[in-house]
Amino acid sequence: MHAKPKLRKTSIIPVLCKVFIGTIGVFAILTTCFYHNELDVDGNLTIGFPWTFYREGSGYSPDLNEQVGYHEFEPLKLIGNILFAATLALMIFRIYSVTIRKR
């Protein structure tokens, strides 16, 4: 009789941990790289890539004849950025695993 090949069991928990940590890492790197704090220059602060999810600024309003400021936070764009980071992390892990297997 032929022996059955051993099935390789993979647990979903380590994979989810890798994806979660990879997503946080990619999100942090992209957010840090595309963080623009130019409050001293033009009065604008923008955070987010590929979609800007937070803006803050100030400036002079001739209509109101005073200094005004604003804060904009868009949670849907934040969720989109997190999903983009998760997709990018999965692609990086996939390319890495394919490259390692070929060796």
Side-chain angles (χ1 to χ4, degrees), residues 90-103:
L90 285 171
M91 288 173 50
I92 291 169
F93 287 139
R94 182 68 181 159
I95 290 169
Y96 180 74
S97 67
V98 168
T99 305
I100 294 299
R101 282 189 207 153
K102 286 188 177 182
R103 287 186 184 182

Side-chain angles (χ1 to χ4, degrees), residues 15-34:
V15 174
L16 287 177
C17 287
K18 280 184 186 179
V19 171
F20 183 70
I21 291 170
T23 300
I24 291 172
V26 170
F27 180 77
I29 290 169
L30 288 176
T31 301
T32 303
C33 288
F34 292 94

Side-chain angles (χ1 to χ4, degrees), residues 45-57:
L45 167 71
T46 57
I47 302 173
F49 176 81
W51 301 285
T52 301
F53 61 88
Y54 181 77
R55 292 178 194 207
E56 179 181 343

